[in-house]
Amino acid sequence: MSTLPSIILRTAVRWISPLLLLFSLFLLLRGHHEPGGGFAGGLIASTGFALLTFGYSLRTAQRLLRVQPLTLIAIGLAFAAASGLIAWISGTPFLTGLWIGVSLPGNLRVDLGTPLIFDIGVYLTVIGATLTMLFAFAEE
């Protein structure tokens, strides 16, 4: 008897995982204005890699991730700390939200701020933490 997942699961994972990753980015970018954000987006992205682990193998998911989950945790914590330090360096309390306006072609203006940097940090930390646990369980 074969221990490989079914062809249906593998085919579904091939289509669903990229959509989950794209949706996780949508939640991340939407999160500092409306519900969503780094935590929800990170969980959705982790689900995409979990499906890859179940549908293919642990090694396939690790290869597609391209970095160690602990590295994602470290980078995420650095982003979160940087968002607070930017405010502190500018003379406002730690983790105060600061924004700058960026002009884009076509008379478009986008406001970028430290809450987005913090959300990116949370996003990466959540992905790293959940995948660290998932990969540890999958190795057993």
Side-chain angles (χ1 to χ4, degrees), residues 68-75 128 132:
Q68 294 294 319
L70 290 175
T71 304
L72 287 177
I73 293 172
I75 294 170
T132 297

Side-chain angles (χ1 to χ4, degrees), residues 2-67:
S2 174
T3 60
L4 291 175
S6 73
I7 189 72
I8 295 170
L9 177 61
R10 292 179 124 204
T11 303
V13 165
R14 183 178 288 173
W15 287 93
I16 292 172
S17 288
L19 291 176
L20 285 172
L21 293 174
L22 186 62
F23 183 61
S24 78
L25 290 174
F26 168 75
L27 285 177
L28 168 67
L29 295 175
R30 175 179 187 247
H32 62 282
H33 292 298
E34 296 182 29
F39 189 80
L43 289 177
I44 298 294
S46 298
T47 302
F49 284 101
L51 287 175
L52 284 168
T53 302
F54 299 143
Y56 288 88
S57 69
L58 173 62
R59 300 295 168 236
T60 301
Q62 288 173 329
R63 190 184 81 242
L64 290 173
L65 184 59
R66 296 187 180 175
V67 296

